Amino acid sequence: MTPVSRRRSTLQILLLSAGFFVLVAVSVASVLLVNKAREDNALVVHTVEVESQVANLLLDVRRAESATRAYLLTSAPQYLSEYQSAAAGLPSALGHLQMMTVDNPVQVANAAKLKAAVEQRLADFALSIERVKHNDTATSIDILRKGTSADALEAIAGIGRDMRTEEDRLLAMRTATADRTQVLASSVTIAGSCMVLALAALSLVLLRQSSRARDEAEARLRDSNVNLETIVDERTADLREANEEIQRFAYIVSHDLRSPLVNIMGFTSELEELRGDIFKRIATLNRTASLAPAMPEDATDVAEPELEGSDKQLSDDFSESLSFIKSSIAKMDRLISAILNLTREGRREFKPERVDLRELIDGIVKTVAHQAVEANATVEVGALPKIVSDRLALEQIFSNLIDNALKYLRNGVPGEISIEGRTKLGFAIFEVTDNGRGIDPKDHQRIFDLFRRAGTQDKPGQGIGLAHVRALVRRLGGTMSVASELHKGSTFTITLPIKWSGKNREKAS
Amino acid sequence: MSDPVTIIMIEDDEGHARLIERNIRRSGVNNEIIPFTNGTEAVNYLFGRDGSAVERKGQPLLILLDLNLPDMTGIDILKRVKENKYLKSTPVVVLTTTDDSHEIKRCYELGCNVYITKPVNYESFANAIRQLGLFFSVIQVPPASI
């Protein structure tokens, strides 16, 4: 699922960038080609201009010539002025043509030749007109008729043709180039547009695909969410049922274990009584056998008969065995009672109510005041917050902890026990600190296990207190931990919600 | 006890039954004790074949009842006894291992006269039974027919 979507999005990005690149390339190419086309067009225009310039030039030459001739014939001053205007324009027109053709060496040469020829012709005209002014028409006609003059005329026409041909060639070439450029520009634009369109279509398809995939995934997610909730609900119900089952089981088992225990204990006690009777009788028999038979029958009632030697050994062994049996039964009974109490606690409904911890703990301290005096210990209660929780559970938690603190003090060191409290982020934190014998760090977990204890086993107990306390704290939606070092005292920290709704843990468990 | 009160002992555990009997005897009570080890037999005896208990009419009885029976709970027997017009005034002593406070409360609500938890500690157990014996010797058991 994830790699597919990742591939798809990578593809999407690639497509987008490809489209972007194509667009940029097309734009750049268009700009370049448009510039090129403009240049080409300018060249074409230039060629046409050169042609017209040449044509104009030739026309002016003809005009000058015909004006000259007319003047020669008529000597009318109007033709003179016409000749003058035509001749005056020619040098500048020639210069212009030379400037225009400066880019083409062939035309430069042509222009130079043309200039020479035209100047030659103009000089001839000027000479003829001069002669006519001096009424020497014959000479002037002569001048014009001279071969050189005709040659110049011929040369001018030839050069003009050459230049026009050259320019025609250029025009054809340049027009073709301009056409090519335009075709290229339009084909680049069309190709680019097609590519962009194709890319857009492709990305649309991809987009539709991915949006369909997303819709499907969304639907799946919604389904699985619904499923998950049902599953969680089912599991929670299962767990709760299993928990109740375990509670019932523990209750019934511990209950049914008790019945045989009553018998074992009862008949062991009966046996003990019998033992007393039997050994009493043995002692009496021994004595009657060894001493005078004159002993009265009811002597056993008067004095306790003494056992001797092997009989005494036998009696002691008997007693020892019985006492072991009895102490084991007593222990088993205590364990069973503990389990029963725990299951009973587990079945109890907790009721959240407002509890003044200070008041509650003061009450506990009062009940253990006697123990504290005996243990030479002082209990200090600091300022404690008020919280909403189950009163009975809190009482059990703190009385267990205070009991433990009093129970496991260091010999010969006056006990100092303190209970402190503070609040933080919706939780109340309580610390029960003592300066007692402490707990080895390796036992920190173990002490919370049922029927497990740590350190010197010199105090009575079943190893239930802390397991019970932790179970209660958890049910109240809190946590507990211990910080302790051997011979340096312990601190038990309990964190409870300030406002317990009676739900958070119940529902979760 | 001046009247020949019969003690009906409904107790599935024979060991317990024996211990109870011994200790009652030790306290000097010599009345007849009829033991039953299951609920059905006890019910048959108490209520007769037709279930009306007419056979027990006028017979002074005292019932020692265990709650955990193999075939029914002692609570059912207690309820039937206290609902029966011939047996309802018969004293019932519940003697069981259950020390659950709900159970105790329920038994008293149903009309049980005394509720005793069997302690594992034998001295307490023997003590309790002997006290019970003394109690038997002083209480007046009414004829069941009233």
Side-chain angles (χ1 to χ4, degrees), chain A residues 8-23:
Chain A
R8 191 173 287 141
S9 72
T10 317
L11 199 60
Q12 195 87 272
I13 289 168
L14 275 178
L15 269 177
L16 273 179
S17 27
F20 184 72
F21 272 119
V22 167
L23 265 180

Side-chain angles (χ1 to χ4, degrees), chain B:
Chain B
M1 268 194 221
S2 48
D3 292 331
V5 174
T6 309
I7 297 173
I8 311 288
M9 182 164 62
I10 310 170
E11 168 66 69
D12 68 312
D13 191 313
E14 285 179 62
H16 289 196
R18 191 84 191 94
L19 287 173
I20 292 166
E21 199 182 333
R22 274 193 200 179
N23 281 289
I24 287 178
R25 295 285 178 241
R26 278 179 198 151
S27 70
V29 172
N30 294 311
N31 298 54
E32 186 192 0
I33 296 177
I34 307 176
F36 293 98
T37 55
N38 63 62
T40 319
E41 274 177 36
V43 167
N44 284 344
Y45 176 83
L46 282 174
F47 298 96
R49 234 166 259 146
D50 56 354
S52 66
V54 71
E55 291 163 42
R56 301 276 88 78
K57 186 182 170 187
Q59 206 175 324
L61 297 175
L62 191 149
I63 301 172
L64 263 176
L65 180 63
D66 183 15
L67 292 185
N68 303 306
L69 298 171
D71 49 355
M72 62 178 75
T73 93
I75 299 243
D76 290 339
I77 299 177
L78 173 65
K79 212 166 150 190
R80 278 191 70 181
V81 165
K82 288 299 172 184
E83 279 168 359
N84 186 285
K85 64 174 173 178
Y86 302 117
L87 294 176
K88 66 180 173 193
S89 47
T90 306
V92 177
V93 175
V94 173
L95 185 58
T96 186
T97 45
T98 314
D99 59 350
D100 187 63
S101 55
H102 293 285
E103 205 88 310
I104 298 172
K105 200 174 155 223
R106 199 164 138 71
C107 284
Y108 277 117
E109 277 168 0
L110 286 172
C112 124
N113 303 74
V114 181
Y115 189 106
I116 297 172
T117 305
K118 290 178 201 162
V120 172
N121 182 314
Y122 187 64
E123 259 171 52
S124 322
F125 181 80
N127 214 19
I129 304 293
R130 279 175 210 168
Q131 305 254 338
L132 190 66
L134 289 176
F135 170 72
F136 289 167
S137 63
V138 295
I139 58 161
Q140 284 295 314
V141 176
S145 57
I146 297 171

Side-chain angles (χ1 to χ4, degrees), chain A residues 167 205 264 310 404:
Chain A
E167 285 305 318
V205 168
I264 298 169
S310 62
N404 276 354

